[in-house]
Amino acid sequence: MRLAATDYKRLAQRIMIWCVFPAALLVSGAAIAADEPTPGGSDMEEHLQTLREGGYGAFDEIIFAARGVNAVDRHWYANFGYYCTGTQEVAYGMGGYLCAWNFKTSRLRYLLREDKASVRDPCLSHDARKVIFSMRPANDIHYHLYEINVDGSELRQLTEGIFDDIEPCCLPDGSIVFCSGRARRWVNCWLSQVATIYRCDGNGNNIRMLSANIEHDNTPWVLPDGRIIYTRWEYVDRSQVHYHHLWTMNPDGTVHNVFFGNKHPGGLFIDAKPIPGSTDLIMIDSPGHGAREHQGFLARVNARQGPDAQQNLRRISKKKSCRDPWAFSEDVFMLAEGRRILLMNNAGDELVLYELPAELEKCDIHEPRPVMLRMREPQLADKTDLSSPTGIFFLEDIYEGQQMRSVQRGTVSKIMVLESLPKPINFTGGMDPLSYAGTFTLPRVLGTVPVEKDGSAMFKVPALRPLFFVALDKEGRAVKRMQSFTQVMPGERLGCVGCHEERTRTPAIPSSGGKVVNAMLQQPSEIDATDRLFDVADFPKHVQPVLNRNCVRCHNPDNRGGGVDLCGDHGPMFSMGYYSLIVWNQVADGRNYPKSNYPPYTLGSGGSPLMNKIDGSHHDLKVSVDDCRILMLWLDASAPYPGTYAALGSGSIGGYQRNRQIINNDQDWPESKAAVAVYQQRCTACHNKEFKQLPKFMSDENGLSFWRPDMKDPRLKYNRHALFNLSRPEKSLYLMAPLAKDVGGLGLCHRDKVADAIFKSTDDPDYIALLAMLRAGQRRLNQVKRFDMPGFKPRPEYLREMRRYGLLPEKFEKHKEEVDVYALDRLYWDSFIYQPGGSEVLKTARRRKH
C-alpha cells in the first residue's frame, strides 16, 4: 500500500504532535503550551469532499461490525457472556457480520457473514492489512479473538477457552491488548460478568493480565506516546454508579494513572482515541451511569490543566446517541449512530455517510474504522520482572495531600494494606446482603507497614492485586482512607507524592546535598500481619461476640436501651445487632454517595460514633483491648455483615434480585395476608402518615431505598430489618411494641393515646395472627438457611462458577455434597496470587469447557 502526498504531510504533522504528546500526558495534568481547539466547525460538504480526495488520509473503505444489541439490559457493560441465573439468558445481541463499505463506490462487501454468530470490535493492524476482531461463533457462548485479512481471506482464531475476549487493539510491537472475562469475576452491583485488560502476542499466545480491577476496564487504545488509554470503572468505598473515567497505563501494565475525571462523579467516559494534529482525545461521554453499548455524547478532552479540571472536557454532539468515534482531524470525526455512520465536526454538525441495508434490519453499526495506514507508536520499555511475585510502593510524604493539612506530623504511625476482593458471582443490583447501604465488596486485611517520622514509607506488596490503604494513628484508628485502588505489576516500583495529593504535583527530587526521605535509606518494609486478629471481617463471627460481652445486657429485645437491640437474632436479611449499628449511625462509612476524599478522622474507626461508645464515656462502658481492636478492624475492613460471598442471593426473607423483591417474597403467604388485615384494622389509626407507616409483611421495604437511603429517615429504625425477629418471633418489636407490659411486652403502642395497650394478652386473635406470620418466616428461614446457620448451602450458580474456575471437581454434586464456603472463597481469592511461571488453576480453567 503506497502513501499519497497528503499522507506524508499528515504523518509529518503526527510526528510533531507525538513529540509533544508525552510532555502533555506522561504525568497527568502537566501543563503544555498548545493551541486551544477551535470550538466551531466548518462546512460538512467540504469535509466530505476533502475526505474523498484523501485529504485526511488515503483510504477507500470503512470496516465495521454489524450486530444486534442486548435488548433486555440497558447497562453499558452488559454486552457479552451470560447472566448469573444461567446460560439460557445471554448478555449480547445476534449478528455475525464483519463488513467493508467503500465510501467512494458505495459498495458493501462482507468479510465475514455468520447469521447465528456475533461479531464485534474490529481493529485494523498498523499496516491496514489485517483486521483483529472478536467473534462469538454460532456454537459457542463465548467471544474469542480472531484475525482476518482485509480482503476477507485467511480467517484465524487467536484465543480460545471458557472466557470472553473482547475489544482488541493492536500494539506497536505486533502484540494485542484486549479486555477479557479471564479475570473470573462478576460486576459487584449487577448480574453480569467483568472484563479487565490483558495482552497477548499477535498469534494469541502468552496471555497475561495487566489490570487487577474487580470491576470493568474497557476500550483500551494506544496513545501517540505509546501508553494505553482505557476506561476504568471503580467504586472502592464510594458510589458504584458515578466513577468510570479515563486512565492510562504502560503496555506492560505498569504505571496506572488517572487521565481525566476520577475526582468528579457522573458520566461514563469511554472509547477514547487520539485526535491527529492535537493533544486532545475524542471520546464518548455517556451520561449518568452510562447507556447501552457505550452510547452518549461525542466529546473531546485533554489534560492541560490536570485530570480534575472540568474545563478540559467539552461535548461536541447535540444528542446522546453517538457511539464508537474516530478522529480524522481536529475538526472531522466519524461515529456510529444506530444503523448509520455519521461524519461530524467540532460544532456538532453532522452528515450521514452510510446506512445499513434492509437485509441487516436487526443490526446496528459498531466500531467503524477507515482502512488506512497508522504510524506505529513508540514501544515503551518493559519495566516488569515476571520472576518476582511482588512490587514496591514508595510514598514520599503521607502528610502531603488535599485533606491532610490539619493532620499534625507524627500522627500517622502505620499504613494498613487491604485487598479489594473480587466476586465469583453476583445476584443483585444492590449491596445486600453484604451490607445495608454500605459496601458492595469484601476487603482482605493484609497487614500494616510502618510510616517513618518524616511521613515517608516504602514497602513490598503482592503483584496484580487491587489494593487500597488506610493511614492509622498510634492508637490504630483510621486517619485517612484511600477511596480508590492501586496495583503493581511483578517487579514494578511505583511511587506517589502523598496522600491524595494534587495530581499536578511532582515529587521533590533531592539536589546534591539535599535531604533524602527516611524510607529511601533502608530496605522496603514487608507487610506485617502478626497483629491481625482476622483478615476478612464477618459480623456474626467476629463482632457479635463483642456485642454479647459488652452491650447486649442493656440492648436486647426485652430491654431496648435507647430503642436499640444489639442481639444476634436473625432478621429477614441481617441480624438485629448489625442492622441497629447501621441505622443508628454508629458506622461512618461514606459509601454510595457521589463524594470522595473525605477529611481526616471521618470514615472507619476514625470517624465512627461506635468508637465513642466503648471508651468509658457511655455508661462507663470500657471494652477490653482485644474487643476494641476487633471493632476497629471491622470498621476499617468495610463493616460487612457476612464474611463470604456465598451469602449472596440467599438466606433471606425478601431481598433484591434485578432490583425486584423475588427472594422468598412472603406477600402472598396466607399468614402474611392475615397479618396485613390486622395491620389495616388495628394499626393504621396511628400509622397512617408516610413517616409513621410500618412494613406490613416481612418482605415489605416500606418505600425505603435499599441503595442510598436518607439515614435520617425515621422509618429506618422501624424498617422490616428491625421489626421482625425470625430467631425468636415472639421477641419481635412488631409484637412487643403493641403488647402490654404486664404480659411481657413493651407497651409502646396505645389505643387512642390512652394507657391501654393494643394487645392486652397474647391470646388476642390478632396478636396470634401476627405471630403466625413471623413463625412462618422463621420456618422458611430455617429451610433456606443463612450463611451463619448450620447446614447452609450456597446457591447452585455460586458452585457452578467455582466449578468453572477449576476450584471444585467437575463431578461435584451441588445438591448433595456440602462445602466449606469460607474455605472455598479463600481458594478462589488465592487463585489470583501471582505465581511466576503461571497459575495451575488458570491453566486448568483454560482447558475446560463450560
Side-chain angles (χ1 to χ4, degrees), residues 519-637:
M520 296 183 68
L521 301 176
Q522 50 196 313
Q523 292 296 315
S525 301
E526 302 280 351
I527 296 175
D528 181 9
T530 56
D531 62 349
R532 183 182 59 180
L533 298 177
F534 52 82
D535 57 355
V536 179
D538 184 279
F539 188 89
K541 186 185 299 183
H542 300 125
V543 180
Q544 189 60 50
V546 176
L547 301 182
N548 293 342
R549 285 190 291 269
N550 300 280
C551 309
V552 171
R553 62 179 176 269
C554 296
H555 302 286
N556 58 68
D558 296 305
N559 179 25
R560 296 172 181 267
V564 177
D565 179 5
L566 294 179
C567 78
D569 291 354
H570 289 134
M573 182 177 291
F574 307 103
S575 70
M576 298 289 114
Y578 172 82
Y579 183 74
S580 294
L581 289 179
I582 300 301
V583 299
W584 262 261
N585 294 306
Q586 295 304 298
V587 177
D589 194 60
R591 293 170 207 264
N592 309 314
Y593 295 89
K595 180 180 178 181
S596 57
N597 199 1
Y598 287 80
Y601 289 106
T602 301
L603 303 178
S605 64
S608 293
L610 177 61
M611 296 304 299
N612 301 326
K613 298 287 194 301
I614 61 174
D615 61 0
S617 60
H618 179 69
H619 301 290
D620 299 323
L621 173 66
K622 193 165 186 178
V623 305
S624 69
V625 172
D626 280 349
D627 282 353
C628 180
R629 291 172 60 207
I630 288 172
L631 293 179
M632 286 196 299
L633 195 55
W634 174 66
L635 291 168
D636 290 331

Side-chain angles (χ1 to χ4, degrees), residues 284-571:
I284 295 298
D285 177 359
S286 192
H289 187 35
R292 181 184 285 119
E293 294 286 0
H294 309 176
Q295 185 171 283
F297 294 96
L298 184 68
R300 60 190 299 161
V301 65
N302 60 65
R304 291 187 182 91
Q305 288 83 34
D308 302 324
Q310 291 180 292
Q311 65 268 27
N312 290 345
L313 171 67
R314 184 174 70 84
R315 287 178 176 175
I316 295 174
S317 65
K318 301 177 178 66
K319 51 189 178 181
K320 53 184 178 182
S321 53
C322 303
R323 194 176 60 240
D324 306 323
W326 182 270
F328 287 111
S329 74
E330 273 265 55
D331 193 32
V332 186
F333 315 113
M334 179 173 65
L335 55 97
E337 184 198 42
R339 297 171 50 80
R340 307 186 301 175
I341 299 176
L342 303 181
L343 207 63
M344 188 172 288
N345 65 11
N346 258 315
D349 302 322
E350 64 182 57
L351 183 149
V352 177
L353 283 181
Y354 176 72
E355 185 167 357
L356 282 176
E359 64 186 83
L360 298 178
E361 62 179 353
K362 295 182 179 180
C363 294
D364 283 348
I365 289 177
H366 299 265
E367 300 92 24
R369 307 282 183 255
V371 183
M372 61 190 301
L373 293 173
R374 287 190 296 126
M375 179 173 282
R376 293 184 185 271
E377 301 83 3
Q379 296 184 34
L380 303 183
D382 193 324
K383 300 177 181 178
T384 63
D385 176 5
L386 299 183
S387 67
S388 173
T390 62
I392 294 174
F393 275 112
F394 168 71
L395 171 64
E396 182 181 342
D397 187 355
I398 200 166
Y399 300 103
E400 280 290 334
Q402 299 174 38
Q403 295 273 14
M404 292 296 289
R405 291 174 184 169
S406 63
V407 180
Q408 293 185 351
R409 289 192 170 271
T411 298
V412 179
S413 171
K414 296 179 180 179
I415 296 173
M416 182 188 292
V417 182
L418 300 98
E419 173 187 7
S420 192
L421 296 169
K423 282 183 176 177
I425 195 166
N426 197 45
F427 299 98
T428 174
M431 68 291 295
D432 57 295
L434 285 182
S435 71
Y436 187 85
T439 183
F440 283 79
T441 57
L442 295 172
R444 174 157 55 181
V445 179
L446 300 184
T448 59
V449 294
V451 174
E452 303 298 321
K453 291 182 179 180
D454 63 354
S456 64
M458 186 162 60
F459 50 96
K460 293 182 181 179
V461 294
L464 276 169
R465 309 265 281 281
L467 306 174
F468 64 101
F469 310 130
V470 178
L472 305 178
D473 64 17
K474 293 179 175 62
E475 285 71 43
R477 294 186 67 170
V479 180
K480 193 74 168 68
R481 190 177 181 92
M482 180 176 173
Q483 293 183 277
S484 181
F485 80 91
T486 187
Q487 69 167 73
V488 290
M489 291 294 288
E492 181 182 4
R493 294 170 176 261
L494 187 63
C496 57
V497 175
C499 184
H500 298 279
E501 77 277 4
E502 294 288 349
R503 288 293 184 168
T504 52
R505 283 283 314 275
T506 56
I509 301 174
S511 58
S512 178
K515 180 182 177 182
V516 177
V517 297
N518 294 345
M520 296 183 68
L521 301 176
Q522 50 196 313
Q523 292 296 315
S525 301
E526 302 280 351
I527 296 175
D528 181 9
T530 56
D531 62 349
R532 183 182 59 180
L533 298 177
F534 52 82
D535 57 355
V536 179
D538 184 279
F539 188 89
K541 186 185 299 183
H542 300 125
V543 180
Q544 189 60 50
V546 176
L547 301 182
N548 293 342
R549 285 190 291 269
N550 300 280
C551 309
V552 171
R553 62 179 176 269
C554 296
H555 302 286
N556 58 68
D558 296 305
N559 179 25
R560 296 172 181 267
V564 177
D565 179 5
L566 294 179
C567 78
D569 291 354
H570 289 134

